[in-house]
Amino acid sequence: MVQREVRVARRAVLAGGLAVSAVGFAGLPASAAAPRVGGRAAAPSISSTSDWDARDASGEIEVLDSKPTKIIVHHTATPNSDDTSQSHAFELSRQIQDYHMDTNGWSDTGQNFTNSRGGHLMEGRHKSLAALQGGSQHVKGAHAGEQNSVSLGIENEGTYTEASVPGSLWESLVSLCSYMVSQYGIEPGEIYGHRDYMSTACPGDVLYARLPELRESVGAALGLAVVQPVTWPLLRPGAQGPSVSALQMLLGARGAVVPVDGVFGESTQRASAGVVAERAGSGPSCFGSRVAEPGLFGGLAWESVTPVLGAGARGEAVRAVQVLLTSRGRYVPADGVFGNRMVSVVREFQAASGLAVTGVVDREGWLRLLG
């Protein structure tokens, strides 16, 4: 698609300042956050769908009578334009909507809001702005698979695999997230990247690496403590290490024939692609899906291969846990048997990780072993 040019010149300023420091507690679930006692964020300037001359949606816009519980950050994977005008930002919104409707076959723009490199915020899917301003409903988007009914999606203009994030875009992102958190009571630690749920590199390594800072900035703006989440790893072609070996064993437990060599090579990619497809963890899910991302494994696809394991369990999945425990300095023989010694080691690992000490490896245990 040929990109039409556009621009804006507004910078969002954080309401309430940054006088209060947020506290991060890496490795603890978001539910462990301190009670919410923060202030409220002022509404940033957000241009509506009518402002940027959006097309009418081709189908019904689903407005849910519930509050979202998380925010998901994307990048558009488009050129890092130097045009910071509002006209450019509006043209970007039209391009995204055209692509989502005409190529993906969706009823409207997939994400709820769009943020330009010039710092201009725009409503994405129709009715998202009114729902956000009301604070009791939200619009179901089409940006993150299984998470669409519980999250708000923000597309950030540009490609942040290597490029730095412009200051204007960053300020607007903090401002918008602060307002969302304030309106809906979302915990600041519940701001995620697209890759945390689907097998994609979105929102790019650079922007993704700044999500802890984003959470802290939002928490500071509202005077809220921040609990940094533990997330699933993203494996790319050529990746090596214990997490790859563990995946190979977990795939073997499902009947796949792959070498256990700790290298995310072609055979492992093919076998894991089946898991991703089963989970609907790939395919068009944001504007950046035009960029090919072959061979990735991450997000909720991990939940399809990580069973709950306890005393008496046997097999390749148990061996995967043993390899991961050993990689974290807690040696157990990789014999595929969940015996008494392994129960003790798992309990020690759970205690050190701030988890409930059960001796059973559940979702939270896998997250900390792999994350």
Side-chain angles (χ1 to χ4, degrees):
M1 179 188 297
V2 176
Q3 182 126 4
R4 292 171 286 177
E5 296 295 315
V6 196
R7 236 171 245 219
V8 143
R10 184 195 58 77
R11 296 188 191 276
V13 179
L14 289 180
L18 297 176
V20 183
S21 296
V23 181
F25 302 94
L28 294 179
S31 60
R36 295 178 60 87
V37 294
R40 298 193 65 80
S45 175
I46 304 173
S47 298
S48 69
T49 50
S50 60
D51 290 333
W52 56 264
D53 196 25
R55 296 158 58 179
D56 291 336
S58 63
E60 181 182 358
I61 299 298
E62 190 172 357
V63 181
L64 304 176
D65 287 324
S66 60
K67 298 181 180 182
T69 59
K70 63 191 69 172
I71 299 165
I72 298 180
V73 175
H74 304 256
H75 69 171
T76 61
T78 53
N80 292 320
S81 175
D82 292 329
D83 190 340
T84 59
S85 68
Q86 189 172 63
S87 59
H88 170 78
F90 285 3
E91 179 61 22
L92 172 70
S93 289
R94 289 191 290 269
Q95 289 176 7
I96 292 174
Q97 187 186 42
D98 287 346
Y99 185 78
H100 284 180
M101 294 179 70
D102 299 338
T103 301
N104 289 358
W106 297 344
S107 62
D108 196 7
T109 299
Q111 76 277 5
N112 301 96
F113 296 92
T114 307
N115 184 20
S116 79
R117 285 173 59 83
H120 299 280
L121 296 172
M122 293 150 289
E123 181 180 28
R125 180 159 288 210
H126 284 80
K127 300 184 180 181
S128 294
L129 181 55
L132 173 60
Q133 291 169 337
S136 61
Q137 298 176 310
H138 77 285
V139 169
K140 182 178 180 180
H143 60 95
E146 298 175 27
Q147 301 303 304
N148 289 328
S149 63
V150 294
S151 67
L152 293 173
I154 306 171
E155 283 276 14
N156 295 276
E157 180 191 8
T159 301
Y160 299 105
T161 53
E162 297 179 356
S164 60
V165 179
S168 296
L169 182 147
W170 179 258
E171 291 168 6
S172 287
L173 181 59
V174 173
S175 180
L176 177 58
C177 288
S178 298
Y179 183 56
M180 289 174 168
V181 165
S182 175
Q183 287 294 93
Y184 289 120
I186 299 170
E187 295 297 335
E190 293 294 298
I191 301 173
Y192 295 93
H194 188 189
R195 69 173 66 176
D196 291 327
Y197 295 103
M198 303 184 80
S199 295
T200 174
C202 179
D205 291 354
V206 175
L207 181 51
Y208 185 77
R210 293 192 68 180
L211 293 186
E213 179 188 351
L214 176 60
R215 299 177 191 114
E216 295 288 354
S217 295
V218 170
L222 298 173
L224 296 171
V226 178
V227 179
Q228 297 287 352
V230 180
T231 56
W232 298 109
L234 177 68
L235 300 183
R236 313 170 197 249
Q240 300 183 37
S243 60
V244 179
S245 296
L247 175 62
Q248 291 168 331
M249 295 172 191
L250 291 165
L251 291 170
R254 291 167 53 94
V257 179
V258 293
V260 182
D261 58 5
V263 179
F264 197 53
E266 291 184 5
S267 61
T268 306
Q269 292 168 41
R270 285 194 298 270
S272 63
V275 177
V276 172
E278 289 173 17
R279 191 84 192 208
S282 61
S285 53
C286 72
F287 193 44
S289 63
R290 298 178 302 166
V291 176
E293 295 186 309
L296 302 182
F297 185 86
L300 298 185
W302 281 105
E303 295 188 358
S304 295
V305 298
T306 49
V308 176
L309 299 170
R314 293 173 176 267
E316 287 296 280
V318 174
R319 194 154 73 98
V321 175
Q322 293 168 334
V323 166
L324 292 169
L325 284 168
T326 298
S327 74
R328 293 184 173 273
R330 298 181 182 278
Y331 174 75
V332 286
D335 58 6
V337 178
F338 207 126
N340 291 336
R341 171 169 169 71
M342 187 168 166
V343 171
S344 297
V345 173
V346 168
R347 291 173 65 88
E348 291 170 2
F349 176 77
Q350 290 171 328
S353 301
L355 299 174
V357 179
T358 63
V360 174
V361 179
D362 57 11
R363 179 182 181 277
E364 294 303 314
W366 282 109
L367 266 171
R368 281 157 181 77
L369 285 168
L370 287 161

